[in-house]
Amino acid sequence: MLINYNDQVIKGRSLVKNKASEEPLGHTSQLFMQLELISCCMIMVVSSAVFPLPPPFVISTTIGAVAGAVGAFAVYPIDYIKTQMQSSQGSQYTDGFDAARKIVSKGSVRALYRGCGTQVAGVAPEKTVKLLVNDAVRNALTASLGCLPLWAEVVAGSTAGACQVLVTNPLEVVKVGLQTQTDVSAEQLIRELGVGGLWNGATACVVRDASFSAILFPCYSHAKDMLTFDGTAAGPAGLFIAGVLAAVPAAYLTTPADVVKTRLQQRGGNALRVAVAKDARGLACIPAYVAATELIEEEGRGVLFSGGIERVLRSAPQFGVTLALFDVLKRLCEDFGWLPPMA
């Protein structure tokens, strides 16, 4: 299939005209509307010649990668602070503001972005897997059942979360190492850990991501329905709000698994004091349940929710941006005929 410039320009102008003629909106809505119009114009520019249309899978993958990368970059400093509070040195901070002040005082604002490149590069494929697998499983279950009950939404979300660990865990190991050690590079960490070391904390990571997505996607879907008025689908601002509302419970309720994962991945699990066997590289081999038990015995049950507020403050806007941008870009591609319309 080929994209024709004239057809796309006519569609683009029509879309821009329709958007511009809508009623005045609030500041947040105006911001998202401007982003949508910019995306529309970018598609028009890309369509300035006749060229083969990429397969829908390639377009969807690109949309997921862009949405994930933008969302991750927007909230990275909060993620950095959250990891510091969950590490074995987290007791030196009274709260997130205190952690931010001390981190900046030791270096500069740039210190809050240490490891950002690795995070953004890894989050793009991670969020792509999460978003596309969730969509694929939801569509398959809907086609099979004729509808999508709540349990099927949970299955789709948890499947997406479990699949993303293939990308998430190695990324998280390197990210945690960069955020808790200031004297190493990503390359040094990877050499030190080896391939096996990149899977430290994988069990806790699966529990965290599967549970997170099992909560996130059903909540997001129903929040979008609640923000639909007079049969009109939620706009960009409504999608952002739906994403924020869905991410709040998902982020906070999965904090214990995130804390255990962080401790297991910090210095190859050696941040934990429990006596266990170590492999040839000196990395601790600690089951997730053993790590959780030690943390409770040594630091109390409250430690399992350390950094929980910061996790919510990071995840809520991140997924508000990611989910809204994913849906907006997908709608635009559907309007242009680049993707088949979805129910």
Side-chain angles (χ1 to χ4, degrees):
M1 179 178 179
L2 297 178
I3 299 174
N4 185 275
Y5 166 73
N6 291 328
D7 292 341
Q8 297 304 312
V9 168
I10 291 172
K11 279 188 178 182
R13 286 175 177 166
S14 176
L15 285 172
V16 171
K17 182 177 179 181
N18 290 338
K19 298 296 182 185
S21 64
E22 291 180 358
E23 304 231 351
L25 302 169
H27 291 300
T28 303
S29 297
Q30 288 177 0
L31 174 61
F32 275 95
M33 190 61 67
Q34 289 170 0
L35 290 173
E36 187 173 5
L37 291 176
I38 290 172
S39 300
C40 182
C41 292
M42 289 175 64
I43 293 176
M44 289 171 59
V45 171
V46 171
S47 302
S48 61
V50 176
F51 58 91
L53 178 65
F57 176 77
V58 174
I59 296 175
S60 297
T61 299
T62 303
I63 291 172
V66 170
V70 171
F73 181 80
V75 298
Y76 186 80
I78 301 175
D79 180 65
Y80 186 92
I81 293 169
K82 183 269 301 181
T83 301
Q84 296 301 313
M85 295 188 67
Q86 291 180 345
S87 71
S88 57
Q89 292 84 34
S91 58
Q92 65 180 297
Y93 307 122
T94 57
D95 53 39
F97 292 106
D98 180 56
R101 180 180 60 80
K102 290 179 178 177
I103 292 169
V104 172
S105 66
K106 291 180 181 178
S108 66
V109 175
R110 292 179 60 185
L112 296 174
Y113 284 90
R114 177 173 171 76
C116 181
T118 301
Q119 173 76 345
V120 171
V123 160
E126 170 202 331
K127 292 298 183 287
T128 298
V129 171
K130 179 196 287 281
L131 295 167
L132 296 190
V133 170
N134 178 70
D135 272 4
V137 176
R138 286 174 70 95
N139 292 336
L141 289 174
T142 300
S144 175
L145 302 173
C147 62
L148 194 67
L150 180 61
W151 68 263
E153 294 186 71
V154 172
V155 168
S158 58
T159 301
C163 288
Q164 81 172 74
V165 174
L166 293 172
V167 179
T168 303
N169 206 83
L171 165 70
E172 291 277 331
V173 170
V174 176
K175 184 195 75 172
V176 169
L178 291 174
Q179 291 181 345
T180 56
Q181 303 175 63
T182 60
D183 57 346
V184 296
S185 65
E187 293 76 14
Q188 289 174 317
L189 277 173
I190 294 172
R191 283 199 300 270
E192 175 187 338
L193 294 170
V195 176
L198 294 177
W199 294 98
N200 286 336
T203 301
C205 198
V206 169
V207 172
R208 182 199 67 173
D209 289 347
S211 301
F212 184 95
S213 295
I215 298 170
L216 175 73
F217 287 114
C219 288
Y220 178 60
S221 177
H222 291 280
K224 286 195 296 183
D225 292 341
M226 292 173 58
L227 295 170
T228 298
F229 301 101
D230 299 327
T232 303
L239 294 173
F240 174 78
I241 293 171
V244 169
L245 293 176
V248 170
Y252 192 74
L253 294 176
T254 56
T255 298
D258 191 47
V259 172
V260 173
K261 175 205 69 70
T262 297
R263 293 299 182 91
L264 286 170
Q265 293 176 344
Q266 185 183 2
R267 295 199 303 275
N270 291 325
L272 294 161
R273 290 177 290 277
V274 64
V276 294
K278 296 186 178 183
D279 64 16
R281 297 180 304 278
L283 303 178
C285 304
I286 309 173
Y289 73 91
V290 173
T293 301
E294 183 204 292
L295 287 173
I296 293 173
E297 291 177 350
E298 295 284 340
E299 304 178 45
R301 295 182 183 275
V303 70
L304 294 179
F305 283 92
S306 58
I309 299 301
E310 289 71 25
R311 180 166 161 77
V312 169
L313 291 176
R314 181 215 60 182
S315 295
Q318 177 182 3
F319 280 93
V321 171
T322 298
L323 294 173
L325 188 56
F326 180 73
D327 276 353
V328 166
L329 293 177
K330 191 164 65 171
R331 286 178 185 177
L332 283 174
C333 288
E334 290 172 4
D335 289 340
F336 277 90
W338 290 21
L339 287 174
M342 303 299 292

